[in-house]
Amino acid sequence: MNDTFDTFVQKSMRTLELDKVCAKLASFAVTDAAKQEAMALTPSDSIREVNRLSAETTAAFEFSCRKGSPSFSGVKDITTLILRAERGGILMPAELLTVAALLRSARNVRDYRFRDRDDADTCIDEYFSLLRPDYDFERSITDAILSEDEIADTASNELLSIRRKLSAAQNRVRDILARIISGPNASKILQESLITQRSGRYVVPVKAEHKASVPGMVHDVSSSGATIFIEPMAVVEANNEISELLSKERNEIERILAEFSAAVFARRDALLASYKMLCTLDLIFARAKLSVELDARPAIINEEGRFELKKARHPLLDQKKVVPIDVSLGIDYDTLIVTGPNTGGKTVSLKTIGLLTLMAQCGLHIPAAPGSTVSLCPAVYADIGDEQSIEQSLSTFSSHMTNIVEILARAEDNCLILFDELGAGTDPTEGAALAIAIIERASSLGAKIAATTHYAELKVYALSTPNVENASCEFDIETLRPTYRLLTGIPGRSNAFAISKRLGLSDDIIEHAHGLIGKEASRFEDVITELEKNRQKAEEEQARVEALRREIEQLTQRARDRERHLAAEKARAEAEAREEAMKIVSETREESRAILADLRRMYAMAQGELKSININEDQAAINRRLNDMDSAASASESAPEVPEAEVPTRPLVVGDHVLIVKMGIDGIVAALPGKDGKLQIQAGAMKMRVKPEDVRLCKEVKPDPTAKKPRRPVSAAEAQKVLTGAIASGVTNRLDIRGEAADGGIHQLDQYLDNALRAHLTEVTIVHGKGTGKLRDAIRSHLRHHRHVKSFRPGIYGEGEDGVTIVTLA
């Protein structure tokens, strides 16, 4: 729109009640400047500007939803005081506190945005970043100025010194006067026993007849003349000192204020920038608060003259009661003719279209469903009068026609024109003809038009003219109440006959009226009635289809939830089975290691001395078997296929090939259920006790003659046989170093321990003799720090006692 709005354009905006929306917006602002700017809000004709304002409102709306709005309380206009400071004036304490409040708000608002570093960047971050808080200056003001009337003692060292001296002088005066008013003759000569002040000096109230009893200076007399306020001579000097100190105090306070005023002037640019940004942010967040109040959403702005409002609501009506409307223009048609009974909502529909367009161009969100589209209009013109007016005189017609003439003179491409009761107030035939001519002229100029009317001629015109569409406001004949729904594509009926009949008008009168309106008009009304019935049936059918669709979606969702639940249960069962298998494998591994260790010890006891036995091959075979079981247990969902199995149809017998369901492994029945009711299953090297219901009988598969036979598990007896027959060469479990020097003995010991470790010996005997004990001590001292020695001890009776050391290797 134009940068300057003339009277006629402003009149249209007032007609559409944009000023009331601005007043509601201003009520959400805090600062006076933001309130004034809200009241002066005008639409923009720049799509870039409109999108920027709308994006700012959206960013503030999202912030408000996440963490509330920032506080702008205490932000006041500082331009006047900055100007006075610039001219060398001294700012008053209240003005300096205003500056401190501004700095505090700038600090708090900046922290509001940047305290959470995880927040994504927004289009209003620049306003926050331009705030210039100055905590040190803010703190210095609030520390020095306690209120509008009080300066802190600590504002300066000089002020603190002056006030200490002043307090001491005042105390001295009070002490002297206290002695006077409490003296033996006080009640005789004093009107009251109190200390007061006159002209800033401490005095006592003396009875007039005893004036001579209190030598001093008279400062005041009561209105009755009965009391004389005298400054006793004893306190004159102290009062003089107090007056001098009070003067020094005033001078020092003035100096402090002048210093602060100079500091304010030095920071004028930062302060003014912060004030401007705070007011700007205040208005932006006021727009966001209005969005929350109206449950509004950002409109999609275009420059092609397309309007599509979905579930649009008038912003000034009760948002809980107002009936939303769906309306479009500039897509399939450029002109919309709205008909229907009075008080049916036609005028509200027009105002909703125009007001939401103006709001969107002001950067405000609109009370409509997401995805609503508004065209950027060079102007919005409205000729909307009071359609409920009793008088429909020539003067009313003339007033409307004056507006229409002005609108047609201003009409241009993509402007929005709203006509209410177009052509009313004159002869119906002439009025209808004029209405059609006005619509065609405005349409030829490229305008988008919405008009309300009662004329049947305009309904026929909309039905027979391209680029023109009918719409109507629904009316419930049964209740004689409008529903306020806007129905596009269907012309409205006046419903005069139906309403009259419901209200009791006789049938013969209504039939006579039918005959008077003519056959063509009657047939047209019948067509409209039939269209209305068909529409209602279609809506009912659509409602049933929608209900079925929702039911199907709910059933589909429940099926998906069930499928996910079953998949989760399956995964949990498989995880439990893998965990149990891993546990069995681990236990079997530990048991095999213990058996091998026991076999070594048994062989050592049988031979009298432990020699290195080469059982690596058999131990490796057992380990390979265990690793195979470990891999099978920890396999994922893509684990190898298990044998095909089924529920047993006959009692199981020893030797049956079965599948353990929970673990997913197969084995052979080794023993039938005992007292515990469980089968004994041989699964490779493992034996397990399993409930009969947890196994399935495997189908017999013909063996593959080319398949490689699995390695047979090694039994304990076979391991014993291997152990007793396989003796390693050269390394025994005994080292004799008697007679060796300490260094030589330690050298032989290191070599021996290395060989013993390679031969997998776990315990060896070092024979060093008793002698002087030097070799024994050296050997044991060396063993304490040897990294392969787990522990050692002296021999016991039968082992050689202190002449040997028994060493356990790690």
Side-chain angles (χ1 to χ4, degrees):
M1 293 184 182
N2 299 326
D3 294 335
T4 58
F5 293 90
D6 57 31
T7 305
F8 187 77
V9 174
Q10 291 176 359
K11 177 184 176 183
S12 291
M13 290 192 293
R14 283 196 305 271
T15 299
L16 294 172
E17 300 177 297
L18 179 63
D19 57 325
K20 294 181 180 179
V21 173
C22 291
K24 180 175 280 193
L25 173 64
S27 69
F28 290 112
V30 177
T31 62
D32 291 338
K35 288 179 179 292
Q36 293 171 6
E37 193 169 347
M39 290 300 299
L41 202 63
T42 54
S44 171
D45 60 355
S46 166
I47 190 169
R48 183 176 180 180
E49 176 73 5
V50 170
N51 284 332
R52 179 184 67 81
L53 294 171
S54 180
E56 290 174 355
T57 306
T58 301
F61 176 84
E62 291 172 352
F63 274 128
S64 299
C65 291
R66 287 204 309 273
K67 51 186 179 181
S69 299
S71 173
F72 298 97
S73 60
V75 179
K76 297 180 181 178
D77 191 355
I78 61 168
T79 53
T80 302
L81 64 88
I82 291 287
L83 183 61
R84 194 146 55 80
E86 186 177 0
R87 293 173 178 173
I90 296 177
L91 302 180
M92 293 295 100
E95 294 172 316
L96 290 171
L97 289 176
T98 297
V99 173
L102 175 73
L103 291 172
R104 181 170 55 254
S105 292
R107 173 168 51 86
N108 291 336
V109 171
R110 186 182 176 90
D111 288 346
Y112 164 90
R113 173 62 187 94
F114 297 116
R115 185 183 298 113
D116 298 330
R117 297 296 182 181
D118 295 336
D119 286 342
D121 294 341
T122 69
C123 60
I124 60 175
D125 286 353
E126 183 180 0
Y127 300 129
F128 287 101
S129 62
L130 289 175
L131 292 172
R132 304 282 293 278
D134 189 339
Y135 180 71
D136 292 337
F137 187 47
E138 172 199 338
R139 184 67 181 272
S140 67
I141 293 175
T142 54
D143 285 348
I145 304 174
L146 303 180
S147 70
E148 295 181 3
D149 304 314
E150 184 179 3
I151 306 297
D153 296 346
T154 55
S156 73
N157 293 332
E158 180 65 20
L159 183 61
L160 179 62
S161 175
I162 291 171
R163 286 185 171 173
R164 284 177 176 173
K165 293 176 182 178
L166 180 61
S167 177
Q170 289 171 337
N171 288 335
R172 288 198 301 273
V173 170
R174 290 193 188 96
D175 290 343
I176 295 171
L177 295 179
R179 288 195 294 270
I180 292 174
I181 64 176
S182 61
N185 297 323
S187 59
K188 179 182 177 182
I189 64 176
L190 297 179
Q191 197 71 266
E192 294 181 86
S193 296
L194 58 81
I195 302 171
T196 185
Q197 284 187 319
R198 288 295 185 272
S199 303
R201 301 180 74 87
Y202 288 96
V203 297
V204 292
V206 180
K207 295 178 181 178
E209 60 269 24
H210 294 287
K211 172 183 177 183
S213 301
V214 181
M217 300 176 61
V218 176
H219 284 277
D220 198 5
V221 179
S222 66
S223 58
S224 65
T227 304
I228 299 175
F229 296 94
I230 298 176
E231 177 185 5
M233 292 302 296
V235 298
V236 169
E237 184 177 349
N239 268 333
N240 289 339
E241 182 183 359
I242 289 172
S243 297
E244 183 181 347
L245 289 171
L246 287 173
S247 177
K248 289 183 177 180
E249 181 188 34
R250 286 192 295 271
N251 292 337
E252 179 61 17
I253 289 174
E254 186 174 341
R255 186 195 67 79
I256 292 170
L257 295 177
E259 188 176 294
F260 276 122
S261 300
V264 168
F265 172 66
R267 294 169 172 80
R268 63 188 181 280
D269 293 338
L271 290 170
L272 290 172
S274 293
Y275 173 68
K276 182 179 179 182
M277 289 304 102
L278 286 170
C279 293
T280 300
L281 287 168
D282 184 19
L283 181 60
I284 292 173
F285 277 90
R287 300 203 300 263
K289 292 173 186 175
L290 182 64
S291 296
V292 175
E293 175 78 8
L294 299 177
D295 189 22
R297 297 293 183 271
I300 301 172
I301 308 298
N302 68 86
E303 295 181 291
E304 293 79 37
R306 292 182 289 105
F307 297 82
E308 187 175 11
L309 299 176
K310 304 173 182 178
K311 306 297 181 186
R313 293 163 277 117
H314 195 286
L316 300 178
L317 298 179
D318 187 340
Q319 297 300 298
K320 296 180 180 178
K321 297 180 180 179
V322 62
V323 177
I325 63 171
D326 294 327
V327 62
S328 62
L329 267 178
I331 301 174
D332 297 322
Y333 47 86
D334 292 338
T335 300
L336 186 67
I337 306 296
V338 184
T339 53
N342 289 337
T343 70
K346 301 190 302 296
T347 302
V348 172
S349 297
L350 283 191
K351 286 188 173 182
T352 300
I353 298 169
L355 184 53
L356 266 56
T357 299
L358 294 175
M359 288 176 63
Q361 292 188 223
C362 289
L364 300 175
H365 289 175
I366 61 174
S372 294
T373 300
V374 172
S375 175
L376 190 72
C377 299
V380 177
Y381 300 115
D383 176 46
I384 299 176
D386 183 8
E387 68 177 13
Q388 303 299 317
S389 176
I390 297 176
E391 294 187 5
Q392 293 293 323
S393 62
L394 182 61
S395 61
T396 301
F397 175 77
S398 299
S399 175
H400 280 289
M401 192 53 61
T402 300
N403 290 335
I404 292 170
V405 170
E406 183 68 24
I407 290 172
L408 292 177
R410 294 168 174 263
E412 56 184 306
D413 189 38
N414 284 338
C415 73
L416 178 62
I417 300 177
L418 307 171
F419 294 121
D420 187 30
E421 296 295 342
L422 182 60
T426 187
D427 177 77
T429 304
E430 293 180 357
L434 276 173
I436 293 172
I438 290 168
I439 288 172
E440 290 185 343
R441 171 55 65 87
S443 180
S444 68
L445 296 172
K448 302 299 180 286
I449 306 160
T452 68
T453 184
H454 285 286
Y455 294 146
E457 291 85 348
L458 266 70
K459 301 176 190 177
V460 176
Y461 171 74
L463 286 172
S464 59
T465 306
N467 215 26
V468 181
E469 184 61 273
N470 269 306
S472 61
C473 289
E474 189 178 50
F475 190 86
D476 190 340
I477 299 297
E478 297 299 323
T479 62
L480 298 182
R481 292 181 179 274
T483 66
Y484 302 107
R485 293 177 60 201
L486 185 66
L487 307 175
T488 303
I490 299 175
R493 301 178 62 202
S494 65
N495 295 302
F497 293 159
I499 294 172
S500 299
K501 184 175 181 179
R502 290 278 297 175
L503 293 175
L505 191 64
S506 62
D507 291 342
D508 58 334
I509 296 176
I510 294 174
E511 287 298 326
H512 182 59
H514 265 297
L516 293 175
I517 64 173
K519 293 183 179 180
E520 290 298 326
S522 179
R523 280 199 297 271
F524 181 71
E525 289 295 323
D526 291 341
V527 170
I528 293 176
T529 301
E530 189 63 27
L531 284 173
E532 177 64 15
K533 290 179 180 179
N534 292 336
R535 181 195 63 79
Q536 292 178 355
K537 289 180 181 178
E539 284 190 352
E540 291 172 0
E541 186 64 28
Q542 185 178 0
R544 285 195 295 271
V545 171
E546 182 64 21
L548 287 173
R549 185 188 63 80
R550 286 196 298 268
E551 184 178 355
I552 292 171
E553 286 181 352
Q554 291 173 358
L555 291 172
T556 303
Q557 186 61 41
R558 283 200 292 268
R560 288 173 180 169
D561 293 342
R562 177 64 177 167
E563 184 179 356
R564 284 194 293 267
H565 176 73
L566 292 175
E569 286 294 318
K570 179 182 178 183
R572 182 182 62 79
E574 291 176 351
E576 290 178 354
R578 285 195 296 271
E579 183 178 356
E580 185 175 352
M582 292 290 290
K583 181 179 179 182
I584 293 173
V585 170
S586 177
E587 291 175 352
T588 304
R589 188 189 299 276
E590 293 300 324
E591 185 178 354
S592 69
R593 289 172 179 167
I595 290 172
L596 291 173
D598 288 343
L599 290 176
R600 289 192 182 99
R601 285 193 293 273
M602 290 166 58
Y603 180 78
M605 291 174 64
Q607 297 298 322
E609 63 178 19
L610 187 63
K611 295 185 179 181
S612 174
I613 306 301
N614 185 13
I615 59 172
N616 292 341
E617 181 180 350
D618 294 286
Q619 184 172 359
I622 293 174
N623 286 338
R624 282 195 300 273
R625 183 76 173 173
L626 290 170
N627 289 335
D628 291 341
M629 294 165 61
D630 197 356
S631 299
S634 60
S636 61
E637 294 179 356
S638 60
E641 294 183 0
V642 298
E644 192 174 349
E646 60 186 12
V647 177
T649 57
R650 60 173 175 78
L652 295 173
V653 298
V654 175
D656 278 343
H657 185 199
V658 295
L659 172 70
I660 304 172
V661 178
K662 288 185 177 180
M663 300 175 62
I665 60 176
D666 61 311
I668 304 298
V669 178
L672 296 177
K675 293 181 180 181
D676 59 357
K678 295 182 178 180
L679 294 164
Q680 184 177 19
I681 306 297
Q682 180 77 40
M686 297 185 296
K687 288 184 179 181
M688 293 174 285
R689 306 289 295 179
V690 182
K691 293 180 181 179
E693 58 266 25
D694 292 338
V695 301
R696 298 288 183 270
L697 183 63
C698 295
K699 294 182 179 179
E700 293 300 327
V701 180
K702 187 175 182 180
D704 184 359
T706 64
K708 184 179 180 180
K709 295 183 179 180
R711 181 183 178 88
R712 182 173 56 82
V714 180
S715 66
E718 290 171 325
Q720 172 70 29
K721 182 178 179 181
V722 172
L723 187 61
T724 56
I727 302 177
S729 60
V731 181
T732 69
N733 71 331
R734 188 179 184 89
L735 173 65
D736 190 345
I737 54 174
R738 287 177 293 184
E740 295 287 341
D743 291 343
I746 290 173
H747 178 68
Q748 290 186 35
L749 175 64
D750 285 339
Q751 289 182 336
Y752 173 74
L753 291 179
D754 289 341
N755 293 332
L757 285 169
R758 283 193 291 270
H760 304 289
L761 300 183
T762 59
E763 188 175 271
V764 296
T765 301
I766 309 300
V767 182
H768 43 67
K770 296 180 181 179
T772 61
K774 289 184 178 180
L775 180 59
R776 176 195 63 203
D777 294 342
I779 291 299
R780 291 178 180 175
S781 176
H782 184 67
L783 290 173
R784 284 191 187 93
H785 306 290
H786 199 289
R787 61 192 180 96
H788 294 307
V789 174
K790 183 177 182 182
S791 63
F792 63 89
R793 61 176 175 80
I796 60 176
Y797 180 76
E799 291 179 330
E801 299 180 343
D802 208 29
V804 300
T805 297
I806 309 301
V807 180
T808 301
L809 299 177

